[in-house]
């Protein structure tokens, strides 16, 4: 190659090199800001208290409000012989027994004019369960699903305004499938939204999901993935988008703007949309547990601290305030049909259900 050819070749290399855009470094994820706590109580709306002490004395295990509609609240309870589902009228405070079973009830939820619950029976090494639904207009009951779970685990029911979802596990020939199931209240059909398969052979491969959360932002799985026996865990959407787990949470919730995680001593509110700030809340004592997240709006959330107080966080301005006094042991809050509900068991053995009609 002549010197003129070399010069031309070098010029081409130079021009090609100059035409390549420089890669910009990925900006670091900003550290979450600290939620500013104030002891000023925040009234969220009109609050009413209902005394259910007499019911608690007859049925020592009481769930607290599970579903609330315009005229009644629904909960489950049990004694040594049976489990029950009750309807409590908000207008005349009358108690109505809707359902009785000799098995145990794990969770009760509602969508529109339908109730849903898990009925289960524990055995030596596993549990059998049935998902049932009641039409509140007619009182008719039908079965939606059933299964067998190891180690006394039962599906967790999650709801939106239109559907119920749960995870069902099926194990056969060293293979476990996690089926994400959804019941559409309008159509009355159950469909499988996603299936994860875990192969437990000499080398464990595949994916598995034990729990999930559902809401306006969609379904989020707490997913474990194995590849060449390497284990990774992440919160994963049905489309496969993973949100990194920064802690080992005690509880979590998935909203339109935030992923909320609760652990011992702290809670995290990780923004997963642009133009929103991530926050972190530290409890007054390092051993306090955070759970029971309940989104009122995409930026407003109620949660439970160490079972003896409920807090309200407004992530639009980065503040958190007590919603309740420390009057006893609080249930996890629920928010349905514009109403926030929870129960409190007082130290003297009283039980009250609190219902707050949230201001629009």
């Amino acid at each position: 190659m002549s010197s003129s050819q070399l010069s031309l070749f070098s010029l081409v290399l130079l021009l090609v090199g100059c035409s390549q855009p420089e890669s910009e470094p990925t900006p670091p994820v900003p550290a979450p800001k600290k939620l500013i706590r104030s002891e000023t109580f925040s009234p969220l709306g009109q609050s009413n208290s209902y005394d259910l002490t007499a019911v608690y004395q007859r049925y020592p295990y009481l769930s607290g409000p599970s579903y609330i509609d315009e005229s009644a609240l629904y909960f489950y309870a049990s004694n040594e012989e049976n489990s029950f589902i009750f309807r409590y009228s908000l207008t005349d405070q009358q108690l109505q027994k809707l359902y009785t079973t000799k098995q145990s009830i794990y969770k009760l939820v509602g969508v529109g004019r339908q109730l849903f619950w898990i009925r289960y029976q524990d055995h030596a090494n596993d549990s059998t369960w049935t998902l049932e639904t009641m039409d509140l207009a007619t009182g008719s009951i039908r079965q939606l699903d059933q299964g067998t779970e190891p180690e006394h685990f039962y599906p967790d029911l999650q709801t939106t305004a239109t559907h119920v979802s749960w995870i069902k596990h099926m194990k056969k020939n060293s293979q476990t499938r996690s089926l994400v199931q959804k019941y559409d209240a309008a159509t009355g059909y159950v469909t499988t939204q996603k299936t994860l398969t875990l192969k437990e052979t000499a080398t464990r491969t595949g994916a598995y999901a034990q729990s999930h959360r559902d809401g306006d932002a969609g379904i989020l799985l707490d997913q474990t993935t194995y590849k060449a026996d390497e284990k990774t865990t992440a919160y994963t959407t049905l489309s496969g988008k993973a949100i990194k787990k920064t802690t080992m949470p005690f509880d979590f919730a998935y909203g339109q703007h935030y992923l909320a995680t609760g652990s011992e001593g702290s809670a995290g509110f990780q923004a997963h949309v642009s133009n929103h700030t991530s926050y972190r809340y530290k409890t007054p004592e390092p051993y306090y547990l955070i759970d029971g997240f309940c989104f009122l709006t995409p930026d407003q959330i109620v949660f439970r601290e160490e079972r003896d107080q409920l807090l309200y966080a407004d992530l639009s301005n980065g503040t958190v305030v007590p919603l309740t006094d420390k009057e006893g042991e609080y249930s996890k809050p629920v928010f349905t049909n514009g109403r926030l509900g929870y129960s409190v068991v007082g130290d003297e053995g009283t039980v009250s259900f609190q219902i707050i009609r949230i201001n629009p």
Side-chain angles (χ1 to χ4, degrees), residues 258-271:
Y258 287 92
L259 168 64
T261 56
S263 57
E264 187 176 53
S266 67
F269 303 92
Q270 182 178 346

Side-chain angles (χ1 to χ4, degrees), residues 59-77:
Y59 308 101
Y61 181 79
L62 201 63
S63 69
S66 296
Y67 181 60
I68 312 163
D69 61 22
E70 292 77 9
S71 59
L73 59 85
Y74 303 84
F75 62 95
Y76 62 95

Side-chain angles (χ1 to χ4, degrees), residues 117-134:
W117 63 88
I118 294 290
R119 173 171 55 85
Y120 70 90
Q121 181 71 51
D122 285 339
H123 308 289
N125 300 313
D126 58 27
S127 298
T128 52
W129 59 268
T130 303
L131 170 56
E132 295 177 326
T133 180
M134 172 185 286

Side-chain angles (χ1 to χ4, degrees), residues 37 40 57 68 79 112 117 125 161 167 173-174 177 194 208 224 291 298 345:
R37 177 162 176 163
T40 303
Q57 290 171 346
I68 312 163
N79 55 25
W117 63 88
N125 300 313
I167 296 178
N173 299 330
S174 300
R177 291 191 299 159
K194 188 167 187 174
Y208 176 85
T224 301
D291 67 356
V345 180

Side-chain angles (χ1 to χ4, degrees), residues 226-239:
Y226 296 88
K227 187 175 182 181
D229 266 347
E230 292 187 4
K231 175 183 175 181
T232 59
T233 62
Y235 298 111
T236 309
T237 64
L238 293 186
S239 64

Side-chain angles (χ1 to χ4, degrees), residues 4-66:
S4 61
Q5 289 175 317
L6 283 172
S7 299
L8 180 60
F9 182 67
S10 301
L11 179 61
V12 170
L13 286 178
L14 178 62
L15 292 174
V16 170
C18 291
S19 66
Q20 299 299 314
E22 294 184 4
S23 60
E24 297 183 0
T26 302
V29 177
K33 292 185 177 180
K34 181 181 179 181
L35 276 182
I36 300 174
R37 177 162 176 163
S38 167
E39 295 305 314
T40 303
F41 285 77
S42 175
L44 300 179
Q46 179 182 344
S47 178
N48 294 97
S49 179
Y50 303 91
D51 185 359
L52 274 83
T53 304
V55 180
Y56 179 62
Q57 290 171 346
R58 294 183 61 190
Y59 308 101
Y61 181 79
L62 201 63
S63 69
S66 296

